[in-house]
Amino acid sequence: MKKSNQQFNILQFCRHVSMACMLLLIYSCASGQVVSRKNKRGVFPKVKIPRTESFTYHSTNVDDDFVISVSYPEGYNADSNKTLTYDVIYGTDANGNFALLNAMTYVMQLGAELPNVIIVGIGYKTDSIWLINRNRDLIPVIEPSLETQGYKTGGGGKFLKFIKEELKPYITQNYRVSENDTYVGFSYGGLFGLFSLFTEPDLFDNYLIGSPSIWIGDGVAFTYLDQFKAGRKDYKGRIFMSEGAYEQDSFWMQTNHMIDNWEIMRRKILDLRYVHMNLGSALFPNETHLSGSSVAFNTGMRFIYKFFVEDAEIKKALEKQGK
């Protein structure tokens, strides 16, 4: 009996040792994998986005530094592609939107839904600076409701000159770009897109305008539209405007009349009836102001490059099928 107990204890001990060794091995492997990713100072390296680069550009117009992020397509540097040029997508709010826009376009390019493009994101050194200075750069007039909160506003004109006189010439000189480009902006960036469209309409060939903050300056964007209408008989380009269906659900959004203003602006642009202007628009169900950027970029880019199907066309196709 004692012998069998001793044998049992030995077996039990061996099982415990084996289990401990196995756990130690697993832990060692896991720890080894994690440690191997650290540099000599024990700091994890930052995630890098393939086919991208960034640089700091000091603007004389704004008198401030911007971080410019550039994404170029697969094979851009291949010898066989040295003569190719690419359309350019210029996007504001790059701190929050550059990685999203880059990943989204890359996936759609895999299915040939978009051509290869160069993406230029205009951002700031840190996210905290971005959240402050986007008020200054994307808003074209002084907005008292933001000024009382300590934000500087009204620098949109200088920011527009920075893009026109400094950034675009630099990109043209240093990257193989075609003559076709598109502006992409959301929220304040959408407002800035309207400001650019109506005051410098030839700066970009196409505009993707998501959830524009038309309430700024008591609707000053409508004044810009009137000036645009008075000075032009036509506009050749593709414009996409979107809004989230839940953008007036909160009290703050209700007071800013996001959907109401968007619908008025959309109808006023349609009423221009310019022969060569192509306007696409979408009110996205279930989307809020904060959730709507990705679907706006996705659908808007497909419209810019003619892969967008209007709701009326979908309805017509379903009726034809007897559904």
Side-chain angles (χ1 to χ4, degrees):
M1 189 73 175
K2 289 182 181 180
K3 187 176 181 180
S4 62
N5 280 336
Q6 186 178 9
Q7 289 176 341
F8 175 80
N9 291 335
I10 293 174
L11 289 173
Q12 194 175 43
F13 173 77
C14 289
R15 289 193 187 98
H16 287 313
V17 171
S18 299
M19 181 63 72
C21 290
M22 186 177 295
L23 291 173
L24 181 61
L25 178 62
I26 293 172
Y27 176 78
S28 299
C29 290
S31 299
Q33 289 174 353
V34 173
V35 171
S36 68
R37 295 193 186 111
K38 294 183 179 180
N39 61 24
K40 292 180 179 180
R41 292 181 299 173
V43 179
F44 289 95
K46 294 181 179 180
V47 174
K48 296 181 179 180
I49 303 176
R51 305 177 312 283
T52 63
E53 59 192 36
S54 65
F55 55 89
T56 300
Y57 191 105
H58 181 79
S59 167
T60 55
N61 280 292
V62 181
D63 192 22
D64 204 351
D65 292 339
F66 294 92
V67 175
I68 308 301
S69 302
V70 180
S71 167
Y72 40 86
E74 192 81 43
Y76 177 84
N77 293 315
D79 291 338
S80 58
N81 294 332
K82 290 296 185 181
T83 60
L84 295 181
T85 59
Y86 302 89
D87 293 358
V88 188
I89 311 298
Y90 288 89
T92 46
D93 287 322
N95 294 64
N97 294 335
F98 177 75
L100 171 65
L101 192 58
N102 176 68
M104 181 202 71
T105 53
Y106 176 69
V107 170
M108 286 195 287
Q109 285 164 357
L110 295 177
E113 294 185 15
L114 293 180
N116 288 331
V117 296
I118 292 173
I119 301 173
V120 178
I122 309 170
Y124 305 85
K125 289 183 178 179
T126 66
D127 288 350
S128 59
I129 294 175
W130 161 50
L131 293 172
I132 294 172
N133 284 355
R134 67 189 300 267
N135 295 272
R136 177 195 68 187
D137 297 329
L138 300 178
I139 296 176
V141 295
I142 299 296
E143 173 51 50
S145 66
L146 295 172
E147 292 276 337
T148 55
Q149 299 178 51
Y151 295 109
K152 291 183 179 180
T153 58
K158 292 181 179 180
F159 187 66
L160 190 64
K161 289 185 68 176
F162 155 60
I163 295 175
K164 179 182 179 180
E165 299 175 0
E166 301 177 67
L167 181 60
K168 287 193 69 175
Y170 179 89
I171 295 298
T172 300
Q173 291 170 11
N174 290 276
Y175 297 89
R176 301 196 311 274
V177 302
S178 72
E179 295 182 354
N180 184 62
D181 56 23
T182 298
Y183 170 82
V184 176
F186 191 84
S187 189
Y188 289 171
L191 171 68
F192 181 81
L194 292 174
F195 172 62
S196 174
L197 171 62
F198 296 147
T199 63
E200 288 280 358
D202 298 321
L203 184 57
F204 298 101
D205 297 289
N206 312 289
Y207 286 86
L208 195 167
I209 298 168
S211 299
S213 300
I214 301 173
W215 60 272
I216 290 287
D218 291 327
V220 68
F222 293 115
T223 302
Y224 298 142
L225 172 59
D226 292 338
Q227 296 169 354
F228 172 79
K229 180 180 179 180
R232 297 183 72 98
K233 295 183 178 180
D234 198 3
Y235 173 77
K236 185 178 181 180
R238 298 178 74 82
I239 305 167
F240 180 81
M241 290 178 58
S242 69
E243 193 78 17
Y246 286 172
E247 294 208 36
Q248 284 185 192
D249 275 24
S250 67
F251 174 76
W252 179 79
M253 290 299 180
Q254 285 177 355
T255 57
N256 289 334
H257 304 286
M258 294 293 291
I259 298 175
D260 298 336
N261 285 329
W262 173 82
E263 177 61 12
I264 295 170
M265 179 63 74
R266 187 183 74 87
R267 290 184 178 275
K268 282 181 174 289
I269 294 176
L270 282 173
D271 287 343
L272 295 173
R273 301 189 184 280
Y274 289 158
V275 174
H276 296 99
M277 184 181 71
N278 198 328
L279 175 67
S281 58
L283 182 64
F284 297 119
N286 305 320
E287 300 297 343
T288 68
H289 189 70
L290 299 180
S291 71
S293 58
S294 58
V295 66
F297 296 159
N298 189 306
T299 310
M301 288 302 298
R302 294 175 73 227
F303 171 77
I304 297 297
Y305 286 99
K306 303 179 183 179
F307 279 87
F308 179 81
V309 180
E310 292 280 8
D311 290 343
E313 295 180 24
I314 296 174
K315 185 177 179 181
K316 188 185 296 182
L318 292 174
E319 289 175 350
K320 189 176 181 180
Q321 296 175 18
K323 296 183 180 180

